[in-house]
Amino acid sequence: MIELKHVFKRYPLGTEALSDVGFTLAKGEMAFLTGPSGAGKSTILKLICLLERPTRGQITVNGHELGRLPARRLPYFRREIGVVFQDNRLLNERTIFDNVALPLVVAGMTGDEVRKRVLAALDKVGLRGRERGFPLALSGGEQQRVGIARALVHRPPLLIADEPTGNLDAALSDDIIDLFREFNDHGVTVLIATHDLRQIERLKKRVIRLGAGHMLGAA
Amino acid sequence: MKAYFTRHAQVFMRTLGEFARSPAPTLMTVILIGLTLALPTGLYVGLLNLQRLSQGWQPHGSLSVYLKKGGADSAAVVAIRRIPGVATARYISPVQGLREFKTASGLGGMGLFGRHNPLPGVVIVAPTRPGPRSVALLATQLKTLPGVAHVQSNLVWVERLDAALALGRRLVTILATLLGLALVLILANTTRATVASRSAEISVVRLVGGTNAFIRRPFLYIGALTGGLGALCALLVLEIGLIALEGPVAALNRAYGAHYRLTGLGLEQALGLLVLGASLGWLGARIAVARALRQSEG
Ligand SMILES: Nc1ncnc2c1ncn2[C@@H]1O[C@H](COP(=O)(O)OP(=O)(O)OP(=O)(O)O)[C@@H](O)[C@H]1O
Ligand SMILES: [Mg+2]
C-alpha cells in the first residue's frame, strides 16, 4: 500500500530532511511514524500525498509509482487518500457540512448521496447535529474531528494523519486514536505521525522510528 | 448528463451566493465594465441614427437635370421619362423655379431680375435603383440627351456622407476592440485578486482531489456574470442617455417641422451585447485563473 525505497529529500534552502528512508506499510496495516521534532515525519507524509516530491528514491502508494504519475492523474490519486492535518486546514467561511462534503463534491457527487455520507461521517466523529455551524465555533478537538470526518467521508483505502492529537487532552486523544483504530479494523490502511508516546504504548501497533531524517528501525 | 447539469446548477447557485455576499468590489467592477461598454455602444447607436437620418434625407440619391434654355422643355421631359432607370421625373418650369427661389430666399418683393427670368427648366429625377453606381450611370445617360444642358446629382454629398459614416464605423470598431480588450483585462485583474484571496481554499480543494477544471469553474461563472451585468449596466447607461436626448431632439423636430425619433439598440443587438459582455468576462477570468493555477501547481 505504501512503499518507500531509498528516499532522500532536500528542501530548497538546503536542509537535508530525509536521507535514505525506506519502509513498507502493507494494505490494511496501521502504524505510527514517530521521532523528535524535525526528524522528518511531516516530510514523509507530504511525499506520500505528493505535496512534495523526493530528491531521490522511489515511492509507491496504492499501486501508483509517484515519480511516474502524470500531473492530470494527481487529483484522482489524491481521492484515494484521506489526509488529516495537525492544523486541520478547514475552510472557516464554509459550514461544517460543506467542509466535510468537499471531497465528495470535487469528485462530482451530488444531492442526497452527499448528504447521507456527510451526516454518517459526522456521526462517526460524534458531531452529528453540528453540520450547520462553522469551524471557528468549535473547540480544537472538535475541529480536529471535522478534519477526520472530511478525510474519511469518501471512504479512501488509505488514511494518513499528521499529529492528529497534537494539542488535545488525554481523553480526547484516546477518542481520536480509537477512531483511527476502528477504521483500521474495517480494513483502512492507517499511518499516523505523532510523538504522543502514550498512544503508541496504548495501541501496541507497529512503530516506524525516525531520527534526524534517518530510519531508526521499523519495529 | 443530468448530474452534470445539477452540478453546474449547484456551483452556479453558490457563485450567486458569493456574489451577493461581497457586493462592493463587484458592483464597482460591474459599473466600470458598464461604462467601458457604454462608450462604443453609444457611438454605434449614434452612428445608426445618423445613417437612418441621412437615408430619410436622401432616399434614392435624386438627380437635378437642367434643361437647355430656349429649347423645347416638354420634349426633353418625355425623353427623360423614357430612360429605363428613371422612376419619376418632376418638371419645374422656369416660372415655378423663380417663384420657389423668391419664397425660399426671401428676395421675392425686390424685383431683382426685372422682367427677365434667368432660370432654366429643371427636372428632378428619382432613379429606380438607388446606390452611387447606378445613379452615376443614370447621370451619364441623361447628359447625352439633346435637350439637357447639365446634370447635377446629389451623389457627391451622399458619397461624402457614406465615407464619413464608414470612417465612423471603423472608429467604432477600433474603439470597441480596444475597450473589449480592456474589459478582458479588468476581469482578468479582478479574478487574479479573487484567486489570490482564495489561495488557502484552493490548496485544500486540490488536496482533496479537486481538478483544475473544478477549481476554475466558480471563477469563470463570476467572470461571465460580472461581464454580463456590466453589459446590462451599459444598456442602462445607453437608455438613460437616449432619454436625456429626447428633449433636445423634440426641440429640433419642432424647429424643422420634422418628426425624427432616436432609436436605441434592438432586442437582438441588446441580447448580443449581453452575450458579448458575458463571453469577454468569461475569457478574462479564464486567462487569469489559468495563470494563477499554473503558478500554484503543486
Ligand atoms: N518547506 C520547508 N523548507 C525548508 N525546510 C523544511 C521545510 N519543511 C521542513 N523543513 C525542514 O525539514 C526537516 C524535517 O521537517 P519535518 O516537518 O518533516 O519534521 P517533523 O518530524 O514533522 O517535525 P515536527 O515533529 O516538529 O512536526 C526540518 O529540519 C525542517 O526544518
Ligand atoms: Mg511535523
Side-chain angles (χ1 to χ4, degrees):
Chain A
M1 184 69 32
I2 297 179
E3 186 180 39
L4 279 77
K5 278 190 198 162
H6 306 295
V7 170
F8 291 75
K9 174 66 184 177
R10 182 187 285 277
Y11 282 106
L13 290 177
T15 5
E16 181 89 12
L18 299 175
S19 54
D20 200 13
V21 169
F23 65 85
T24 305
L25 191 66
K27 189 176 162 131
E29 207 180 348
M30 175 167 178
F32 289 107
L33 186 59
T34 190
S37 182
K41 305 181 292 293
S42 298
T43 301
I44 287 179
L45 298 191
K46 284 178 191 161
L47 290 174
I48 289 171
C49 61
L50 267 174
L51 279 175
E52 292 286 351
R53 288 185 180 270
T55 318
R56 241 192 310 152
Q58 187 179 319
I59 304 173
T60 309
V61 178
N62 292 343
H64 306 284
E65 195 195 317
L66 299 191
R68 297 186 178 188
L69 193 75
R72 72 191 154 74
R73 297 296 311 164
L74 182 57
Y76 305 95
F77 166 72
R78 292 234 175 95
R79 292 175 196 175
E80 297 173 16
I81 313 176
V83 188
V84 180
F85 294 93
Q86 183 174 356
D87 59 354
N88 300 315
R89 303 240 189 139
L90 298 179
L91 301 175
N92 292 328
E93 320 80 57
R94 299 288 179 92
T95 60
I96 289 159
F97 184 96
D98 283 351
N99 268 280
V100 176
L102 198 58
L104 303 177
V105 174
V106 301
M109 197 183 279
T110 53
D112 279 349
E113 185 67 14
V114 171
R115 193 166 177 75
K116 235 168 47 197
R117 291 243 204 146
V118 170
L119 294 184
L122 284 173
D123 199 33
K124 278 245 170 55
V125 299
L127 287 174
R128 182 73 193 254
R130 308 291 295 271
E131 60 270 11
R132 281 165 189 281
F134 287 85
L136 290 181
L138 298 179
S139 72
E142 287 168 333
Q143 288 179 16
Q144 191 65 273
R145 282 187 276 161
V146 174
I148 294 170
R150 186 183 66 191
L152 287 163
V153 73
H154 55 304
R155 299 180 191 147
L158 172 63
L159 194 59
I160 60 180
D162 197 355
E163 321 261 8
T165 60
N167 37 28
L168 306 182
D169 66 27
L172 221 80
S173 297
D174 288 0
D175 286 352
I176 283 181
I177 295 297
D178 287 344
L179 205 58
F180 283 115
R181 179 163 60 181
E182 199 184 306
F183 292 125
N184 178 241
D185 290 342
H186 285 87
V188 177
T189 312
V190 179
L191 180 62
I192 301 172
T194 183
H195 26 216
D196 191 341
L197 293 175
R198 214 178 69 85
Q199 298 302 337
I200 296 173
E201 283 297 306
R202 201 167 64 87
L203 260 74
K204 313 234 177 301
K205 293 280 185 186
R206 181 178 162 196
V207 180
I208 300 166
R209 290 177 205 281
L210 279 179
H214 293 271
M215 298 294 298
L216 295 182
Chain B
M1 206 57 193
K2 184 163 168 260
Y4 179 82
F5 280 119
T6 328
R7 184 155 79 245
H8 269 268
Q10 280 177 347
V11 175
F12 190 63
M13 291 319 283
R14 173 159 291 157
T15 305
L16 282 179
E18 267 154 26
F19 200 68
R21 224 181 289 162
S22 57
T26 329
L27 185 67
M28 289 255 290
T29 314
V30 165
I31 292 173
L32 186 60
I33 290 168
L35 296 179
T36 307
L37 282 176
L39 189 58
T41 315
L43 282 177
Y44 173 72
V45 167
L47 218 58
L48 277 186
N49 277 290
L50 213 60
Q51 219 164 335
R52 222 164 53 88
L53 196 63
S54 72
Q55 275 163 12
W57 288 337
Q58 274 311 305
H60 301 294
S62 64
L63 296 155
S64 304
V65 182
Y66 294 88
L67 303 178
K68 283 187 177 135
K69 276 192 72 70
D73 281 6
S74 54
V77 172
V78 169
I80 287 171
R81 289 213 167 106
R82 248 187 233 130
I83 290 179
V86 174
T88 61
R90 186 166 65 89
Y91 174 65
I92 301 169
S93 71
V95 179
Q96 241 178 314
L98 188 65
R99 201 174 324 127
E100 274 181 25
F101 175 77
K102 280 180 175 167
T103 33
S105 62
L107 302 172
M110 293 177 76
L112 201 58
F113 304 109
R115 253 168 292 135
H116 178 68
N117 183 352
L119 296 179
V122 177
V123 183
I124 306 292
V125 169
T128 45
R129 283 198 289 133
R133 204 167 309 156
S134 48
V135 172
L137 187 72
L138 187 60
T140 49
Q141 275 178 304
L142 288 168
K143 250 177 234 166
T144 59
L145 291 178
V148 171
H150 175 61
V151 178
Q152 190 183 11
S153 76
N154 305 315
L155 210 62
V156 179
W157 186 82
V158 171
E159 270 173 350
R160 278 184 196 147
L161 185 73
D162 270 358
L165 286 176
L167 182 69
R169 272 193 296 273
R170 180 62 55 85
L171 278 176
V172 167
T173 310
I174 293 171
L175 204 64
T177 310
L178 289 179
L179 291 177
L181 198 68
L183 190 157
V184 171
L185 292 181
I186 293 169
L187 253 306
N189 197 44
T190 53
T191 307
R192 196 175 50 89
T194 336
V195 171
S197 73
R198 298 265 183 93
S199 62
E201 187 170 342
I202 288 171
S203 73
V204 171
V205 170
R206 274 236 170 91
L207 211 61
V208 299
T211 57
N212 278 348
F214 180 88
I215 296 170
R216 232 183 273 136
R217 212 174 293 147
F219 295 108
L220 298 186
Y221 283 138
I222 295 183
L225 198 61
T226 312
L229 286 176
L232 197 65
C233 178
L235 288 176
L236 218 68
V237 169
L238 208 65
E239 203 51 44
I240 292 169
L242 285 176
I243 289 171
L245 285 177
E246 239 165 43
V249 168
L252 274 178
N253 278 341
R254 269 195 306 281
Y256 284 89
H259 35 76
Y260 187 75
R261 275 184 53 83
L262 282 179
T263 43
L265 288 181
L267 182 66
E268 245 169 63
Q269 288 167 317
L271 285 178
L273 187 67
L274 291 181
V275 170
L276 184 74
S279 312
L280 292 179
W282 184 92
L283 184 68
R286 167 85 210 208
I287 291 169
V289 173
R291 270 181 64 110
L293 289 188
R294 226 176 304 126
Q295 277 162 8
S296 72
E297 201 86 281

